[in-house]
Amino acid sequence: MEDKKTWDLISIASIPLVMTLGNSMLIPVLPAIEKELQISSLQVSMLITVYSVVAIICIPFAGYLSDRLGRKVIIIPSLFLAGIGGLIAGFASWQMDDPYKYIIFGRFLQGIGAAGSFPIVLPLVGDIFPKESDVSKGLGVVETSNTFGKVLSPILGAALATVVWFLPFFAFPVFCVISIIMMLFLVKTPKNTKKPVALKEFLHSIKTIFKNNGRWLYAIFIIGCICMFVIFGVLFYLSTMLEDEHGIDGIKKGIILAIPLAALCLSSYITGKGIGEEKPLMKWMTVIGLGLLTVSVFSISFSKDIYILLTALVASGIGIGIALPSLDALVTEGIKKEQRGTITSVYSSMRFVGVAVGPPVFAVLMKISHAVLFLSNTLICVVALFIAVFAIKPDED
């Protein structure tokens, strides 16, 4: 990787870190918010759901606009809007007697900002690095940064909330400003010398891409969704179990939640550096990661022992950490630059679907039984594994 691109990559990688902090920092704080605002568990869960649903809807539009107007033109205003959303939520929590609807509006704005920032990072990495091997390494760093945000979030969110419960809302705009400054001054995107195509022609080209490559693209979209569904669902389960059955909360709970995510973070970094530009290797690394995830989730089905659970969750994190950078590289390197933003944005939308759906589905299944919860998720992981083996055929691209 070119040394002169190091700061570009660091700046770009700050975006998934910031966006992950903006959402996941709230997870350990939700019980405190519920208590402070005297709202129901369903109402407090909407702080996560609104953010994710808005992002799902807006991501494809952001991807299209980034293909037409440029990546930085979309990313920087999106980061600004996300920061404004955090300020609105924080100020309302601080100054108002009944701030709930304003917090929801702030989260709504943050969801729009998230749609125009993190998903655009994937095609931006593909734009600035001409070599596919460098793209894979760059995407590995981005995925590692995203995962590191998940590792840091529960600890940082819990620590900030010990000062005052709404402090995580105010912390997020600070992170956004840092990212904006880095993007403005440290990221130099290559000039696009091609004239933007008309909308009708662009849509036709997208239709052609899905006609020719739909099989493996749909496969990657589904697998990405399943990976995020499992990891966020399991984190929700672990957070609930630690508090309800073991009496562990606060920073201590945040540290325990960070353990499987740290494994995910490390394996993402190693995988991104190792897969290079070999697309068959990317496929089989995805298969290996999903195989490890499936075995780990299955093993949890038969025991609620905390040590067995944490060991299996660490293995699950490693499996997802192996799969995600490989999926990122396949979907980014397999599409031409002109349509890359749109296609990767659809992929990012599917990942957000997993984030949004995981916790509520796990909440419902938890009420049935521990075995039903993890056996049903084992079946979902098996589906992902079969899709990876039989539907992803990079040698046919």
Side-chain angles (χ1 to χ4, degrees):
M1 189 175 292
E2 301 172 48
D3 291 338
K4 62 183 180 180
K5 298 290 186 182
T6 300
W7 280 106
D8 296 69
L9 185 57
I10 291 173
S11 303
I12 293 169
S14 72
I15 295 171
L17 173 63
V18 167
M19 288 299 112
T20 302
L21 288 173
N23 199 29
S24 299
M25 264 198 310
L26 294 183
I27 291 176
V29 188
L30 291 179
I33 295 175
E34 182 180 343
K35 189 178 298 183
E36 288 287 341
L37 301 185
Q38 297 183 336
I39 56 178
S40 68
S41 57
L42 177 61
Q43 285 177 301
V44 79
S45 71
M46 291 300 293
L47 299 186
I48 302 297
T49 302
V50 165
Y51 176 96
S52 300
V53 170
V54 171
I56 290 165
I57 295 170
C58 295
I59 282 171
F61 297 101
Y64 167 70
L65 291 173
S66 80
D67 283 332
R68 297 276 294 176
L69 305 176
R71 314 298 185 203
K72 287 176 66 173
V73 173
I74 303 301
I75 290 174
I76 292 173
S78 296
L79 285 169
F80 180 79
L81 185 62
I84 292 296
L87 283 176
I88 290 173
F91 187 80
S93 302
W94 177 30
Q95 293 291 329
M96 296 184 177
D97 294 329
D98 185 19
Y100 178 71
K101 61 183 177 182
Y102 297 99
I103 296 174
I104 289 291
F105 178 66
R107 294 294 289 165
F108 178 88
L109 294 181
Q110 284 184 306
I112 298 174
S117 49
F118 173 48
I120 313 303
V121 164
L122 300 182
L124 179 56
V125 171
D127 293 347
I128 66 173
F129 292 112
K131 294 181 181 179
E132 288 192 356
S133 59
D134 286 343
V135 173
S136 298
K137 292 176 184 177
L139 291 172
V141 172
V142 166
E143 197 61 66
T144 301
S145 177
N146 180 31
T147 310
F148 179 67
K150 292 182 177 66
V151 175
L152 186 60
S153 291
I155 301 172
L156 183 59
L160 290 171
T162 58
V163 180
V164 61
W165 65 270
F166 53 78
L167 192 57
F169 290 129
F170 281 115
F172 180 65
V174 176
F175 301 142
C176 287
V177 168
I178 294 171
S179 222
I180 288 170
I181 292 171
M182 294 177 75
M183 285 295 298
L184 280 171
F185 297 106
L186 299 177
V187 177
K188 297 175 177 61
T189 56
K191 292 183 179 179
N192 186 1
T193 56
K194 294 183 179 180
K195 184 180 178 181
V197 296
L199 178 60
K200 184 177 180 180
E201 185 181 345
F202 177 83
L203 292 175
H204 177 74
S205 69
I206 296 297
K207 183 179 179 181
T208 302
I209 287 173
F210 279 104
K211 182 179 179 181
N212 296 335
N213 304 283
R215 179 172 174 171
W216 66 268
L217 281 175
Y218 294 136
I220 289 173
F221 296 163
I222 293 169
I223 295 169
C225 177
I226 289 174
C227 285
M228 301 312 291
F229 168 84
V230 172
I231 193 65
F232 270 82
V234 166
L235 285 174
F236 175 81
Y237 169 82
L238 181 59
S239 177
T240 302
M241 194 194 73
L242 287 173
E243 196 155 331
D244 293 348
E245 298 187 18
H246 298 277
I248 299 172
D249 56 12
I251 296 177
K252 187 177 179 181
K253 182 176 80 170
I255 292 172
I256 295 174
L257 288 173
I259 293 172
L261 292 169
L264 201 163
C265 182
L266 181 60
S267 61
S268 291
Y269 179 73
I270 294 171
T271 302
K273 287 181 71 69
I275 55 178
E277 55 188 89
E278 298 294 328
K279 292 182 181 178
L281 178 60
M282 296 172 193
K283 169 184 173 168
W284 291 111
M285 291 299 286
T286 301
V287 171
I288 291 170
L290 292 173
L292 181 57
L293 173 64
T294 303
V295 172
S296 302
V297 172
F298 179 69
S299 68
I300 304 173
S301 306
F302 305 101
S303 175
K304 296 181 73 172
D305 181 87
I306 187 66
Y307 297 106
I308 293 175
L309 179 62
L310 282 175
T311 302
L313 291 184
V314 168
S316 298
I318 293 171
I320 293 176
I322 292 171
L324 285 180
S326 304
L327 294 171
D328 294 349
L330 280 168
V331 77
T332 302
E333 297 174 25
I335 300 299
K336 292 181 181 179
K337 185 181 293 187
E338 291 78 12
Q339 296 90 29
R340 190 176 283 159
T342 302
I343 300 300
T344 56
S345 70
V346 177
Y347 167 62
S348 296
S349 285
M350 290 302 296
R351 287 178 53 158
F352 266 92
V353 169
V355 172
V357 173
V361 170
F362 268 66
V364 172
L365 293 176
M366 281 166 59
K367 294 179 181 179
I368 301 174
S369 76
H370 176 88
V372 168
L373 170 62
F374 285 101
L375 286 174
S376 59
N377 277 279
T378 299
L379 181 60
I380 292 171
C381 292
V382 169
V383 170
L385 182 59
F386 271 86
I387 290 173
V389 172
F390 297 108
I392 299 178
K393 296 184 180 293
D395 52 317
E396 295 180 1
D397 295 353

